[in-house]
Structure formats: C-alpha cells, structure tokens
Amino acid sequence: MNAPTHLVNALKESGIKHVAVVDDAFDCPPMSQDDWGDVSEHLVRDDVRDAIRKRAELEALYDAALDAIQNDPDADVLTLFSQLLYAAYVETFDPRFDPARHFSRSAGDNLRAVQPILQLLSEAKEDVTVYRIGSKDQEILKDRASQIDLVFLDFYLDPTVGADDPPDNDASMRARHASQEAVRSVIEGRGKNPPSIILMSSKSVGARAA
C-alpha cells in the first residue's frame, strides 16, 4: 500500500468528518480593468457557460457579471463573481473556471504547493467534508470551528510572504501571527475537544513550530 492510499484509509477510519485547509492560496487573486476583456471572452465560450450552469451560485450572477464587465468594471458583483469563480477553480482545478489563466498565473506557486493535499483529501470526499479557507476568511473559520476535526494550516498565512522571504522579517512575523490567530479560533470553537492541526510551509519551520 503506497503512502497516499495509507493516509486516505487512515483518514476514513479515524472518524474525521470535517477538514479545514487554511492557506492564503485560497485568497482570490485580484483582477484589474485590463483583465476583464480577456475574462469576458472566456466566460462566453460554450463549454465555460455549460460549466457555470452546473453551479447555481455562479449561474445566479453570470448575466450581471457580464453586464458589469461592459458597463461598470468596479461593480461589487464582479468582486463576488470572481471570488465564487476562484472558489470553483480551487475546488475542481477545472480550467473552465480559470478565465484567461488568470488564477493559475497569479496564484500558481501557492496553489501548486497545496494541491497535493487537496487531491489526497478528494480521494476521501465521500466520507469527509473539506473547507478551503483563505487568509481573509477568519470569520468563516470561526463559524465552522465547532465542526472541524482536522486542520491543515499554512504556517505563514499571508499571500505577500514568498518562499524566499526571510522567516523572521516583519512580513513573516505578521503572517505567523495570522496563523496563530487561526489556530486560536478553531481551538476555542471546539472547547475541550480541540482538533488535530498539521502545519504546512515551504520553509524549514520545525524549531519555530515547536
């Protein structure tokens, strides 16, 4: 039995039902007005339209989003639509939800780092609910804390901190603090039955995580 299969089986047998993956890779990359033209061309493709029809949250905003691209690129509906589109992309990695490859180009390295964990969890999806939570989604984490049994947590919870940044500069320290706050939210939400927490980082953080 290979390691991924062993881990999936262990997850299924553990009784764990709710897993949170908390990582700044789930923060939706912003789009500028220069991006919307290519995005619009992508969204009107037949195969993309078919994919959007299958997701009610996207279908409900689709027409309003296309209208806003043409007439009001600063409209709130575009922010919400792009966030929902990105959520669909990080759930499925379906390129139809990646307009003009904007998401894969903007968040590529971070997403590639977390993708193996998501793929592993997807193999247990019939038994486990996975929450994908970004660095700006702390309220969502608090709301669901009582349900969460296992947390995969980005040690440096800030999209501006790169793999090559010094681990003890100001930005890295703020990112570590954000990670600690996320841990606190989940632990407090579970009361006397805290979840298991697995830290993730592309840096060597063993001593700092102790």
Side-chain angles (χ1 to χ4, degrees), residues 25-96:
F26 302 131
D27 294 346
C28 181
M31 292 188 185
S32 70
Q33 291 193 12
D34 293 338
D35 296 318
W36 288 120
D38 290 339
V39 170
S40 178
E41 289 182 12
H42 178 90
L43 292 176
V44 297
R45 281 173 25 193
D46 289 343
D47 61 325
V48 174
R49 187 74 181 94
D50 289 342
I52 285 175
R53 284 195 185 100
K54 296 175 182 177
R55 301 188 72 103
E57 72 279 12
L58 290 174
E59 172 71 4
L61 297 178
Y62 177 79
D63 290 335
L66 285 180
D67 181 71
I69 289 173
Q70 300 299 323
N71 301 304
D72 187 8
D74 294 322
D76 290 342
V77 68
L78 276 183
T79 300
L80 179 56
F81 184 77
S82 62
Q83 290 171 344
L84 292 172
L85 198 64
Y86 186 62
Y89 177 64
V90 298
E91 178 185 335
T92 64
F93 290 95
D94 186 332
R96 292 176 296 179

Side-chain angles (χ1 to χ4, degrees), residues 6 13 69 76-77 91 100 111 131 168 176 183 193 204 209:
H6 177 75
E13 294 169 3
I69 289 173
D76 290 342
V77 68
E91 178 185 335
L111 278 180
Y131 303 109
D168 292 318
R176 285 174 60 189
V183 170
N193 185 26
S204 178

Side-chain angles (χ1 to χ4, degrees), residues 141-194:
L141 186 60
K142 288 180 182 178
D143 290 344
R144 295 176 176 170
S146 62
Q147 302 174 315
I148 295 171
D149 306 304
L150 172 64
V151 182
F152 289 90
L153 177 65
D154 187 355
F155 191 76
Y156 293 100
L157 193 57
D158 187 322
T160 66
V161 176
D164 297 328
D165 288 340
D168 292 318
N169 66 9
D170 289 344
S172 294
M173 295 296 286
R174 288 194 298 270
R176 285 174 60 189
H177 178 72
S179 181
Q180 290 165 356
E181 288 299 307
V183 170
R184 187 174 293 112
S185 294
V186 179
I187 290 177
E188 291 177 353
R190 289 281 301 224
K192 296 181 179 180
N193 185 26

Side-chain angles (χ1 to χ4, degrees), residues 20-28 86 90 107 109-115 117-118 131-138 141 151-159 161 179 182 198-202:
V21 183
V22 184
D23 197 292
D24 53 58
F26 302 131
D27 294 346
C28 181
Y86 186 62
V90 298
D109 289 343
N110 281 350
L111 278 180
R112 278 190 288 273
V114 77
Q115 191 170 1
I117 292 171
L118 297 176
Y131 303 109
R132 299 163 183 82
I133 298 175
S135 67
K136 302 173 184 177
D137 299 329
Q138 297 304 306
L141 186 60
V151 182
F152 289 90
L153 177 65
D154 187 355
F155 191 76
Y156 293 100
L157 193 57
D158 187 322
V161 176
S179 181
I198 299 174
L199 296 175
M200 307 181 294
S201 179
S202 56

